[in-house]
Amino acid sequence: MPRRSVEQITAAAHGALVDAERVVEHGTCWAAQRKARVPLWLQARRQFLVVMTDRRLLLFTRRRRALQASDLVIGKRYEAFTLERVHRSRPLFQVRVQAANDTRMVFEFRPGQRHLGGALVARLTPKPPPPALPSGDVTTAAREDTAFWGSPTLSS
């Protein structure tokens, strides 16, 4: 991406960011809202600027003029989306999601922006919970505590 557009994206995103939120990735993608029983190739896809922060997914419309914070189309937390399907085949990397309000969307990334699609998939993939300790197994908990923190000491 040209240097000027990177600066525009960063400046527009900072106008839409909340306190202590930072930009992690940015680039372009094709996106469309999926309608029931209508093939994707018949739906109107448009190109958007994607900004991924540490908390949210931001989508800006692409204009010929300088990008502004008012061009924000979507600004949702990652938890508002459910990952439905990923197509990694060429030429476009396709990510299908469902929003909290049952809206289905598809994001398509060109080969030069596949890393952005991968980062989106990583953010939307649910993380497995850490393994729980068996209840009442004090010796395992004490052993883990000792291994990490050193030998326990009594405070007076």
Side-chain angles (χ1 to χ4, degrees):
M1 245 182 188
R3 179 80 177 152
R4 195 172 110 214
S5 63
V6 171
E7 291 169 357
Q8 288 177 358
I9 290 170
T10 306
H14 283 293
L17 298 180
V18 295
D19 292 337
E21 190 175 20
R22 60 183 175 82
V23 174
V24 178
E25 297 272 345
H26 56 81
T28 59
C29 79
W30 291 91
Q33 183 176 341
R34 298 282 321 242
K35 296 178 178 84
R37 296 187 217 115
V38 178
L40 182 61
W41 61 275
L42 288 176
Q43 295 181 11
R45 291 180 289 187
R46 293 180 40 205
Q47 197 170 29
F48 292 93
L49 294 171
V50 179
V51 177
M52 294 177 56
T53 69
D54 55 344
R55 299 179 194 174
R56 299 184 296 161
L57 173 69
L58 306 173
L59 244 61
F60 293 92
T61 57
R62 287 202 59 179
R63 310 278 178 158
R64 294 207 181 265
R65 61 176 167 75
L67 189 66
Q68 300 172 354
S70 62
D71 293 332
L72 182 67
V73 177
I74 295 176
K76 299 266 185 191
R77 294 181 77 77
Y78 296 114
E79 296 84 27
F81 297 104
T82 304
L83 186 64
E84 285 187 338
R85 193 170 187 178
V86 177
H87 285 288
R88 299 181 194 282
S89 62
R90 299 266 180 198
L92 298 175
F93 183 93
Q94 188 180 83
V95 180
R96 294 182 185 195
V97 299
Q98 181 176 355
N101 61 357
D102 290 333
T103 302
R104 286 186 160 77
M105 301 169 63
V106 61
F107 301 104
E108 294 178 324
F109 300 90
R110 290 185 173 185
Q113 299 292 319
R114 289 175 80 85
H115 69 282
L116 187 61
L120 179 60
V121 169
R123 293 270 182 186
L124 297 180
T125 302
K127 308 291 186 276
L133 292 174
S135 60
D137 191 1
V138 179
T139 58
T140 306
R143 242 184 279 129
E144 287 180 2
D145 188 43
T146 302
F148 187 76
W149 296 105
S151 60
T153 59
L154 296 174
S155 59
S156 35

